[in-house]
Amino acid sequence: MPSATPEVFAASGLTNLGNTCFMNSILQCLSHTRLLLEFCINGDYKADVNRANSCMKGALISAYAKLMESISRGSELVSPNEFKSQIARFANRFVGYSQHDAEEFLIYLLEGLHEDLNRTDRETMKRSNSFDSSDLDHLSPSVQALELWNRYTERENSKIVDIFMGCVRSSLTCTNCGNTNHSFEPFLDLSLPIPLTSAQVDLEECLKLFALEETLDGDEMPMCSVCNNRQKFKKTLKIQKFPQILILHLKRFRMDHDRWTKLSTFVNCPIAAFDLTKFSADENAAAAVYDLYAVSNHSGSPSSGHYTATAKNPYTMEWNCFNDSRVSSISRSRVCSADAYILFYEISETTCSRL
C-alpha cells in the first residue's frame, strides 16, 4: 500500500460536480488531517470496517479512502463523484446537487465514517448505557467523566472517536442551596458564537462567550433535587476532554426576521500555539495547546455563497488555497480572513489527547 510521505503527498484540485463546493471544502480540510489521511491511504481502515452493524457495510469509508489516495498522489484534478454517491446513500439529503451548509456536511460525514469503522459489536451496543449519569451523582466530576467516557467508548469506539471526539462538561449550580449537578456531552465540533462588539475579534473571545456563565431563570428554571422546587441556576460550560483534532465552527449564520443573515466579523485565529488550558474543566490538567492546519471558508451571502479551503500540507508545512479545481499557494499571513467558517486545529506535539 502507498504511504503518505512528503514525496507522494501533494495538493490536488477537486471537480465541482454542481454546487458541491461545500463538500470539496470539507474534503480538502480532512485530506490534510494527517492522522485520518494515513489511516486511510495506508489501508489500516480495512481491519476496522464494521460490516455487521453499519448501514453502509464499509462502502462509505472505502470510497473516502479511495478518494484520499487519489488526492494524495497530487493529480491535477480529482473527481469526488464516486464518494458523493456513497455519502448520498448514507444521508439522502445530499442526493442531487443543491447547495448545503459545510458544517452540516462535515458532521454527517464524520458520523458516517464512524458508523463504518465502529469497533463495537451489536450485543455490546445493546447493553451499553452510553452517557447516562443518573447513577454517578455521588462521585466527583472527574471520576464521573472518566466512567462516562469508558461507557461511551464501549458503544462508540472508532478511529473517528479516537481523533475527533471531545467532551464538554455542563455544570448547573442552584443559587439557593449551592447544589451542583454535572452532565457530559461528547462533541465532534464546537459551535462558537461571535461577539457583536466590533468588526474584528479574537477567537479566544468567541470561546469565552461560548463558556460564559448563564443564568437559568423564569420558565427555564430547573428543578433542584435538594430544594425540591424550581430554582434559579447558574450554568457553565467547560471542556472535559480535549480531542486530538479540535474543530471550531464559527456561528456566522443566524435567522433575523424570517431570513438568514451572515456575520462578516473578522475573527483573528491563532495559527500556532493556541493555548486553551483556561477552558479546561480540570484545573489540574496539563496544557492544551493547538496549531491551526485547515480552514473551511465561506464567501458571499447565505443564499448565494461559495466555499473554499485553506490547508497546510502535513509534511512540507506549506499552505495552499483550494477553490474547487484550482489550487494555489498562499502565505501564512493570509490564512485567516473574514470568510473563515470552520477551523481545524491539531493538538501540539508537546501535548496529548486526554480526558
Side-chain angles (χ1 to χ4, degrees):
M1 294 298 296
S3 296
T5 68
E7 289 74 30
V8 301
F9 183 85
S12 300
L14 291 172
T15 304
N16 189 320
L17 304 174
N19 292 318
T20 56
C21 59
F22 69 93
M23 179 179 75
N24 290 348
S25 173
I26 294 302
L27 289 172
Q28 292 291 8
C29 291
L30 290 179
S31 73
H32 288 72
T33 304
R34 181 172 179 170
L35 290 172
L36 183 59
L37 173 72
E38 295 180 353
F39 177 72
C40 289
I41 70 174
N42 292 339
D44 299 335
Y45 74 92
K46 294 178 180 179
D48 285 355
V49 173
N50 189 334
R51 303 188 189 280
N53 299 331
S54 171
C55 68
M56 295 296 292
K57 309 299 182 185
L60 181 59
I61 180 60
S62 296
Y64 178 83
K66 184 177 179 181
L67 179 61
M68 292 301 106
E69 288 179 21
S70 297
I71 290 175
S72 70
R73 286 196 293 266
S75 305
E76 184 175 338
L77 188 61
V78 175
S79 173
N81 189 59
E82 182 179 343
F83 164 80
K84 184 187 180 300
S85 297
Q86 297 304 327
I87 191 66
R89 283 184 57 217
F90 174 74
N92 61 16
R93 67 182 54 214
F94 300 117
V95 171
Y97 300 96
S98 298
Q99 181 69 280
H100 291 276
D101 179 73
E103 192 260 349
E104 175 191 46
F105 173 79
L106 168 66
I107 298 304
Y108 269 100
L109 173 55
L110 292 179
E111 288 177 347
L113 295 177
H114 162 68
E115 185 175 311
D116 259 0
L117 296 168
N118 197 348
R119 307 176 185 111
T120 305
D121 60 53
R122 186 171 298 172
E123 292 304 313
T124 302
M125 292 182 71
K126 286 181 180 179
R127 67 173 181 265
S128 173
N129 290 324
S130 193
F131 258 61
D132 179 12
S133 61
S134 58
D135 60 334
L136 302 177
D137 290 343
H138 63 289
L139 301 174
S140 70
S142 296
V143 176
Q144 284 185 49
L146 181 59
E147 175 59 28
L148 284 171
W149 187 256
N150 288 338
R151 292 182 186 180
Y152 179 76
T153 52
E154 283 180 3
R155 180 184 178 89
E156 311 292 347
N157 183 7
S158 72
K159 192 67 172 182
I160 302 302
V161 172
D162 296 343
I163 296 173
F164 296 98
M165 194 68 75
C167 182
V168 166
R169 180 203 294 181
S170 174
S171 301
L172 290 176
T173 301
C174 177
T175 59
N176 184 57
C177 70
N179 180 55
T180 299
N181 294 315
H182 304 282
S183 60
F184 303 86
E185 186 70 28
F187 66 84
L188 287 169
D189 72 348
L190 293 178
S191 292
L192 306 182
I194 301 174
L196 304 177
T197 53
S198 65
Q200 179 172 329
V201 299
D202 290 335
L203 181 57
E204 187 170 312
E205 294 178 61
C206 299
L207 278 155
K208 286 179 179 178
L209 189 57
F210 168 81
L212 187 66
E213 184 179 82
E214 176 185 0
T215 300
L216 302 182
D217 200 357
D219 293 339
E220 294 184 320
M221 288 195 302
M223 178 68 72
C224 178
S225 59
V226 176
C227 299
N228 198 28
N229 197 3
R230 293 190 178 278
Q231 298 287 355
K232 185 188 298 185
F233 274 74
K234 298 290 186 181
K235 178 182 178 181
T236 57
L237 294 175
K238 291 190 175 182
I239 300 175
Q240 182 68 47
K241 178 187 182 299
F242 287 92
Q244 295 186 71
I245 299 297
L246 177 65
I247 304 175
L248 301 178
H249 162 233
L250 299 176
K251 297 171 70 173
R252 291 198 177 276
F253 303 107
R254 61 175 181 169
M255 186 65 73
D256 186 13
H257 296 95
D258 297 324
R259 69 183 185 91
W260 285 102
T261 60
K262 179 185 174 183
L263 291 173
S264 297
T265 306
F266 180 91
V267 179
N268 184 33
C269 310
I271 294 180
F274 186 29
D275 192 346
L276 300 179
T277 310
K278 66 179 68 175
F279 298 101
S280 174
D282 186 352
E283 296 180 355
N284 298 317
V289 181
Y290 285 85
D291 300 323
L292 184 70
Y293 72 91
V295 183
S296 174
N297 305 294
H298 181 275
S299 59
S301 67
S303 60
S304 60
H306 180 63
Y307 287 98
T308 61
T310 50
K312 181 175 65 175
N313 186 303
Y315 306 101
T316 67
M317 304 302 163
E318 296 173 346
W319 286 89
N320 286 295
C321 177
F322 299 88
N323 185 354
D324 289 328
S325 60
R326 299 190 298 277
V327 181
S328 56
S329 61
I330 188 172
S331 67
R332 176 179 162 131
S333 63
R334 295 177 55 213
V335 168
C336 293
S337 74
D339 292 336
Y341 181 46
I342 307 172
L343 309 168
F344 292 75
Y345 279 91
E346 58 189 348
I347 201 156
S348 169
E349 293 182 359
T350 60
T351 59
C352 62
S353 172
R354 66 200 169 281
L355 180 68

